[in-house]
């Protein structure tokens, strides 16, 4: 049992602990207020808000006030960072960079957080340059959204952060959303370097392809996006590509793509629901598009190139049966296995595509075809068969090709 003296000592100890906690709390609060106040002392002296310089760039705000934003902070409203095209943010909250203050007792280094930032790439690059003396050095800036002005349109990016070097120069802008990561870095030539990594990607411009993993590298200016290294892989195969998007009145897109070992049936089925060709698809293609908006580009897409399918099967394609028949008429289906076929593809969105293949060889049977396929999968064209008979004789025949991608029809002439 505790004696009276022991009880008194215990109470005194507990009171001492409580007082210590209170002192620490109030000390922290006073320090926060004091540092936050000293952080904006130059502004407080002025009758009206004057421009300051952050990272060597003039900055102005419509108003300022103290608020609680994950701690005591200075809230600035209607903020503009003056570059050729001003960067804007509706509200910005400033707090001291505590690590810097505790070690160097300076308050010119601050952390900032804001909602949505609106800026051109060239304006963001300016944050990577020291144009003159700076009254504020931002060490880190968090934002909830970034509207990247591009030509007369804008690219809406999700939230992320900007990190700055010790000297105050912008090091990197990093955006993370779902499984996508975007990094933008300032280049000496006034452009932003771009690095994109994402998974489960499907681009509306090329609906025939889906990928589990995509990486792209390039750069962006106020009116040009260049991605000169694009690599993508997935269960259907791999693709490497490059593209260039120019905002000059209209948006103009051009690019190249190379497919390696893709499953032909998966590519065809995404375009026409179901196809009759299986095998490994390789090809080199060029694509282009133009439109008044980024969303309108898929409507004018043009694709053309050469392809090759290996270790494949043509199903419901009665070329061999047709070669054996003498009378004219519709030929039944069948399967043709082949080592390889090659051909060309040319198409414009919303219009019939022009396709051909040649080099079909299955035993003594040789074949080729030239046809069009409409957006809803209807076929119209011709096929040619050549059969080497056991006695050394040969037979050739031309067929009319009709039907659909999922159910082709051959008719002897």
């Amino acid at each position: 049992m505790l004696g009276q003296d022991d009880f008194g000592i215990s109470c005194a100890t507990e009171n001492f602990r409580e007082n210590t906690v209170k002192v620490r709390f109030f000390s922290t609060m006073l320090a926060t207020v004091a540092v936050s106040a000293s952080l904006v002392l130059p502004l407080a002296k002025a009758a009206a808000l004057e421009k300051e310089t952050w990272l060597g760039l003039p900055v102005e705000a419509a108003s300022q006030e103290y608020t609680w934003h994950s701690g005591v902070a200075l809230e600035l409203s209607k903020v503009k960072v003056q570059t050729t095209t001003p960067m804007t943010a509706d509200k910005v909250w400033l707090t001291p960079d505590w690590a810097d203050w505790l070690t160097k007792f300076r308050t010119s280094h601050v952390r900032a957080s804001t909602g949505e930032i609106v800026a051109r790439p060239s304006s963001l690059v300016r944050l990577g340059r020291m144009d003159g003396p700076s009254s504020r050095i931002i060490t880190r800036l968090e934002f909830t959204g970034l509207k990247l002005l591009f030509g007369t349109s804008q690219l809406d990016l999700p939230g992320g952060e900007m990190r700055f070097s010790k000297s105050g120069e912008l090091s990197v802008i990093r955006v993370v959303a779902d499984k996508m990561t975007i990094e933008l870095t300032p280049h000496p030539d006034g452009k932003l370097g771009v690095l994109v990594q994402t998974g489960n990607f499907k681009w509306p411009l090329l609906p025939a392809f889906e990928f589990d993993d995509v990486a792209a590298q390039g750069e962006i200016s106020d009116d040009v996006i260049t991605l000169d290294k694009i690599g993508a892989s997935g269960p259907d195969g791999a693709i490497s590509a490059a593209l260039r998007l120019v905002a000059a009145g209209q948006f103009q897109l051009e690019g190249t793509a190379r497919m390696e070992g893709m499953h032909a049936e998966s590519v065809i089925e995404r375009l026409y629901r179901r196809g009759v060709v299986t095998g490994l698809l390789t090809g080199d293609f060029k694509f282009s598009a133009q439109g008044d908006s980024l969303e309108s580009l898929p409507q004018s897409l043009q694709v053309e190139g050469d392809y090759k399918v290996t270790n494949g099967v043509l199903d419901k394609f009665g070329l061999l049966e047709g070669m054996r028949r003498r009378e004219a008429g519709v030929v039944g289906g069948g399967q043709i296995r082949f080592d390889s076929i090659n051909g060309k593809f040319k198409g414009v969105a919303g219009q019939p595509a022009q396709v051909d293949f040649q080099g079909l060889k299955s035993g003594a049977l040789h074949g080729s075809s030239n046809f069009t396929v409409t957006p809803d999968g209807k076929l119209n064209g011709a096929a040619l068969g050549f059969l080497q008979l056991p006695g050394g004789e040969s037979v050739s025949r031309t067929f009319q090709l009709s039907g659909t991608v999922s159910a082709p029809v051959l008719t002897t002439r």
Side-chain angles (χ1 to χ4, degrees), residues 40-341:
V40 294
L41 188 58
L43 286 177
K45 291 180 179 179
L49 291 178
E50 297 178 353
K51 292 182 180 179
E52 284 197 297
T53 55
W54 298 0
L55 309 172
L57 297 172
V59 177
E60 62 179 0
S63 64
Q64 64 176 19
E65 63 179 351
Y66 291 113
T67 187
W68 185 267
H69 188 78
S70 300
V72 176
L74 176 69
E75 181 181 282
L76 307 179
S77 62
K78 305 299 181 183
V79 179
K80 287 186 178 181
V81 181
Q82 297 296 343
T83 62
T84 304
T85 301
M87 293 175 52
T88 62
D90 186 56
K91 291 184 182 294
V92 175
W93 295 272
L94 299 178
T95 56
D97 188 323
W98 291 106
D100 183 73
W101 184 81
L102 291 174
T103 56
K104 300 179 182 179
F105 299 99
R106 294 186 306 187
T107 58
S108 61
H109 286 59
V110 297
R111 293 186 177 185
S113 60
T114 184
E116 188 176 71
I117 296 175
V118 181
R120 288 199 174 277
S122 60
S123 299
L124 293 171
V125 172
R126 291 285 298 279
L127 297 179
R129 303 172 181 173
M130 294 296 290
D131 292 354
S134 182
S135 58
R136 296 287 179 270
I137 298 295
I138 304 294
T139 59
R140 182 177 178 180
L141 189 154
E142 297 179 347
F143 54 88
T144 60
L146 175 60
K147 287 187 179 296
L148 203 56
L149 301 178
F150 178 69
T152 57
S153 188
Q154 64 187 27
L155 306 176
D156 294 331
L157 302 181
E161 66 176 12
M162 299 183 188
R163 289 190 175 271
F164 298 82
S165 66
K166 292 181 180 180
S167 62
E169 295 182 353
L170 177 66
S171 299
V172 65
I173 302 172
R174 196 165 189 264
V175 174
V176 179
D178 296 327
K179 296 182 179 180
M180 179 180 66
T181 301
I182 301 176
E183 290 189 354
L184 306 173
T185 54
H187 284 181
D189 60 2
K191 300 176 183 178
L192 281 174
V194 179
L195 177 62
V196 181
Q197 293 179 304
T198 185
N200 298 331
F201 181 75
K202 184 175 182 179
W203 194 19
L205 194 66
L206 298 175
F209 305 107
E210 289 184 354
F211 302 100
D212 291 337
D213 184 53
V214 179
Q217 183 176 344
E219 58 185 15
I220 179 173
S221 66
D222 290 350
D223 51 16
V224 179
I225 297 176
T226 301
L227 297 178
D228 51 11
K229 295 181 181 179
I230 303 174
S233 61
D236 294 338
I239 187 171
S240 57
L243 64 85
R244 178 180 172 86
L245 178 64
V246 179
Q250 282 190 322
F251 290 97
Q252 300 174 356
L253 174 72
E254 58 182 19
T256 59
R258 176 170 178 78
M259 300 179 296
E260 293 280 357
M262 304 198 73
H263 295 288
E265 60 272 27
S266 299
V267 174
I268 294 172
E269 286 178 1
R270 292 192 190 100
L271 294 173
Y272 304 107
R273 295 186 180 180
R274 183 182 177 187
V276 295
V277 183
T278 63
L280 297 179
L281 175 64
T282 300
D284 291 283
F285 295 89
K286 295 181 180 180
F287 57 88
S288 62
Q290 61 180 18
D292 295 329
S293 65
L294 295 172
E295 293 75 18
S296 67
L297 290 179
Q299 302 171 12
S300 64
L301 178 65
Q302 301 183 41
V303 179
E304 62 178 304
D306 302 321
Y307 71 90
K308 184 177 183 179
V309 181
T310 58
N311 300 322
V313 175
L314 271 174
D315 193 17
K316 301 179 182 179
F317 198 75
L319 186 61
L320 180 58
E321 180 185 344
M323 295 299 300
R324 293 171 176 171
R325 293 176 56 177
R326 294 183 178 181
E327 68 276 10
V330 176
V331 179
Q335 277 193 350
I336 302 175
R337 297 184 179 276
F338 59 87
D339 292 330
S340 69
I341 58 174

Side-chain angles (χ1 to χ4, degrees), residues 317-327 329-333 336 360 362 364-368 383-389 393-399 410-413:
F317 198 75
L319 186 61
L320 180 58
E321 180 185 344
M323 295 299 300
R324 293 171 176 171
R325 293 176 56 177
R326 294 183 178 181
E327 68 276 10
V330 176
V331 179
I336 302 175
L360 173 66
S362 179
L365 177 66
H366 298 255
S368 61
L384 175 64
F386 177 87
L387 185 63
Q388 187 72 41
L389 301 177
E393 298 178 352
S394 61
V395 177
S396 61
R397 178 169 285 182
T398 301
F399 301 85
L410 289 177
T411 306
T412 59
R413 297 180 177 179

